[in-house]
Amino acid sequence: MKYKDYYAILGVAKNAGTDEIKKAYRKLAHKYHPDVSKEAGAEEKFKEVAEAYETLKNPEKRAAYDQLGSYQPGQDFHPPPDWQKQYGETPFSFEDVDLSDLFAGLRGGRVHMHRERGKIQMPGEDYEVAVHITLEEAYRGTEVELDLSMPEFDANGRLHRVPHVIKARIPKGATDGQRLRLPGQGGKGLNGGRNGDLYLNIVLHPHPLFRVSGHDLYLDLPLVPWEAVLGTTVDLPTPGGPVRLKVPPGTHAGQKLRLARRGLPKPHAGEGDLYAVVQIVVPGAVSDRERALYQQLAQGSTFNPRGHFEQELRHESRTH
Amino acid sequence: MKVELTEVLWLDEQQELSLTELAGLSGLSEEELRELVDYGVIAPVDPEAEPPVFRADCVVIARTACRLRTDFELDAPGLALALTLLGRIHDLEAQLRELSAQFPHRPRKKS
């Protein structure tokens, strides 16, 4: 069993009072609670904080924790023999349980690491995991394999941490932020209680070309000035394969050209759209011939894109 | 060891849940759920129906409510306020994502 320093996790001294422990927990909960925090690794951090608080706020559990002794965080350790004598209901292995399992089972001065027969039904714990998928996987659907470790009672009624491998089909159309439920795939229920559920939270990897908003996709479409003026036909990549897009003459920068139903599939029917966002791109260096042509264009054109500035500029030159 | 492939359930408007089912899935009591309905945080499919029926995606907000209630020791008005504000943040983030997706990104320089 690996040691966790609950006092260090909450940032309090070993002789801290209950109020101080509560205050430290509240502060850290506001900082790291996964429903309100945007900090990286907040969820893991909050789990540690909640586990530490769960044990230290209860005088009985805290006393039992203190008597375990002090070790380095993460260090493998065995509770001292007199600890086992005092708190152990019956001898049990500390090898494949977590410190949190030990204190979750502490009631009435004894650690209950055995299934209590004939007691009240307890539903199994729900689990929530983030599943990272690519845009291509969201487009076609995919299968993911999840490795979870759950506390479970064996045939003899003893508690162990058991690795669970769950293979789930992510249907097409599950995009960023979509929650999916796997009924009964969470922790096992106790004494006939229902099994917990597993919730998947879909997270899309950023794509080098496509930006995602719901089921719509956005793609930058760089055009050179003459393509924007004269119109052109371009081949566009889309998740479903290349499509040919006609760019009308007089297309301006920032304009969004919509390709209906070329976005991500929606959960039950239909598809989002794909938008090509026009950018006008000028070459960094031009040849003598190109420069001459631009100069010829500059001399021949009467187009003034800043006509609306003129009244303001005239007004300003009068007042200064 | 062969691992069976598990089919997932969508949490969306296509699935509906009874008040009892939503309570069972979220960890909130039916009374607490009714309170959240009164505060307008969770909306039943038909406001007049008794007992109420909910869209399956209400599970997400109800589970969040259960976590916040336990972890911050919130009472019903505090919980309703926190959920309303989280809902607004969620909507604003979705708008921000949409706007950011529409905004052309700077073309990458060739290395």
Side-chain angles (χ1 to χ4, degrees):
Chain A
M1 189 162 50
K2 299 237 184 288
Y3 185 72
K4 295 176 203 171
D5 187 340
Y6 288 156
Y7 292 100
I9 288 169
L10 290 179
V12 294
K14 287 204 189 298
N15 59 357
T18 318
D19 281 351
E20 203 182 326
I21 288 172
K22 192 178 203 172
K23 220 164 130 184
Y25 164 75
R26 284 183 171 167
K27 204 169 167 184
L28 291 167
H30 275 92
K31 191 166 178 198
Y32 294 118
H33 197 281
D35 290 313
V36 294
S37 174
K38 289 283 166 208
E39 294 214 22
E43 189 164 355
E44 283 312 304
K45 186 82 187 152
F46 179 73
K47 273 186 195 157
E48 279 186 351
V49 167
E51 183 186 324
Y53 181 58
E54 202 55 42
T55 296
L56 296 189
K57 75 173 181 186
N58 178 314
E60 185 188 48
K61 291 184 181 184
R62 185 178 175 186
Y65 173 76
D66 287 345
Q67 285 175 45
L68 283 175
S70 276
Y71 311 86
Q72 287 300 313
Q75 186 186 337
D76 262 315
F77 80 106
H78 273 85
D82 54 339
W83 194 97
Q84 296 198 38
K85 215 180 283 172
Q86 186 180 346
Y87 293 103
E89 188 192 23
T90 46
F92 57 87
S93 161
F94 290 100
E95 293 308 321
D96 54 0
V97 291
D98 192 88
L99 201 54
S100 62
D101 302 329
L102 200 65
F103 290 103
L106 186 79
R107 285 183 300 280
R110 291 277 176 206
V111 176
H112 300 270
M113 298 295 271
H114 281 67
R115 183 169 46 217
E116 296 164 80
R117 292 188 189 280
K119 293 286 170 66
I120 46 163
Q121 289 191 345
M122 290 277 283
E125 201 183 330
D126 290 341
Y127 287 81
E128 205 165 316
V129 291
V131 175
H132 296 259
I133 61 171
T134 64
L135 187 94
E136 289 78 9
E137 288 170 333
Y139 185 80
R140 292 190 177 84
T142 186
E143 287 172 14
V144 292
E145 220 169 79
L146 307 159
D147 292 311
L148 302 170
S149 156
M150 298 179 187
E152 209 170 273
F153 291 96
D154 64 15
N156 300 320
R158 290 188 175 191
L159 187 70
H160 299 273
R161 281 264 155 179
V162 181
H164 273 255
V165 182
I166 294 158
K167 205 167 160 186
R169 192 194 306 281
I170 308 294
K172 66 176 184 177
T175 183
D176 210 44
Q178 176 70 49
R179 307 291 171 100
L180 300 164
R181 181 176 153 236
L182 281 80
Q185 296 289 335
K188 286 234 160 49
L190 274 188
N191 302 314
R194 71 168 186 88
N195 290 344
D197 295 333
L198 177 63
Y199 289 88
L200 308 183
N201 184 9
I202 302 294
V203 183
L204 273 194
H205 284 300
H207 192 276
L209 277 184
F210 302 108
R211 299 185 293 276
V212 184
S213 170
H215 293 89
D216 292 337
L217 296 176
Y218 290 83
L219 164 74
D220 286 336
L221 172 61
L223 296 176
V224 287
W226 53 92
E227 286 175 328
V229 173
L230 303 173
T232 184
T233 304
V234 291
D235 288 334
L236 275 189
T238 79
V243 293
R244 189 151 284 188
L245 172 71
K246 208 167 172 239
V247 178
T251 294
H252 55 82
Q255 198 169 330
K256 292 190 281 290
L257 305 173
R258 174 168 165 264
L259 286 93
R261 305 181 58 200
R262 293 283 180 179
L264 292 175
K266 291 182 177 173
H268 303 285
E271 296 84 16
D273 300 329
L274 188 146
Y275 294 90
V277 186
V278 172
Q279 286 180 293
I280 311 288
V281 181
V282 296
V286 288
S287 63
D288 290 345
R289 160 111 178 106
E290 283 171 317
R291 179 172 288 104
L293 286 169
Y294 275 113
Q295 280 165 347
Q296 203 182 330
L297 179 62
Q299 283 154 15
S301 175
T302 55
F303 176 56
N304 178 9
R306 294 176 298 279
H308 57 298
F309 283 5
E310 274 169 18
Q311 195 182 350
E312 190 67 22
L313 289 169
R314 274 202 299 274
H315 174 75
E316 285 201 4
S317 62
R318 275 203 303 275
T319 53
H320 289 97
Chain B
M1 187 180 70
K2 192 176 180 305
V3 182
E4 295 283 315
L5 185 66
T6 314
E7 295 296 332
V8 302
L9 294 181
W10 288 99
L11 292 175
D12 65 9
E13 70 284 358
Q14 299 269 322
Q15 313 278 333
E16 288 185 355
L17 298 170
S18 70
L19 182 66
T20 312
E21 285 171 321
L22 186 58
L25 291 176
S26 65
L28 293 176
S29 68
E30 292 188 17
E31 196 189 333
E32 285 171 316
L33 282 170
R34 281 185 189 277
E35 260 187 301
L36 291 180
V37 171
D38 290 344
Y39 279 110
V41 177
I42 294 182
V45 177
D46 175 4
E48 305 298 320
E50 186 53 47
V53 169
F54 301 89
R55 285 167 44 147
D57 51 1
C58 286
V59 170
V60 177
I61 191 165
R63 282 173 50 78
T64 306
C66 185
R67 280 195 297 268
L68 292 175
R69 183 205 58 185
T70 309
D71 299 334
F72 292 110
E73 298 164 339
L74 292 178
D75 59 6
L79 192 55
L81 179 66
L83 289 168
T84 305
L85 295 177
L86 281 180
R88 280 178 63 181
I89 291 173
H90 181 267
D91 292 347
L92 288 169
E93 283 176 339
Q95 278 181 37
L96 199 62
R97 262 198 306 277
E98 191 182 341
L99 286 172
S100 158
Q102 290 180 29
F103 192 74
H105 287 208
R106 200 173 285 176
R108 287 190 197 141
K109 282 188 181 160
K110 279 184 189 162
S111 51

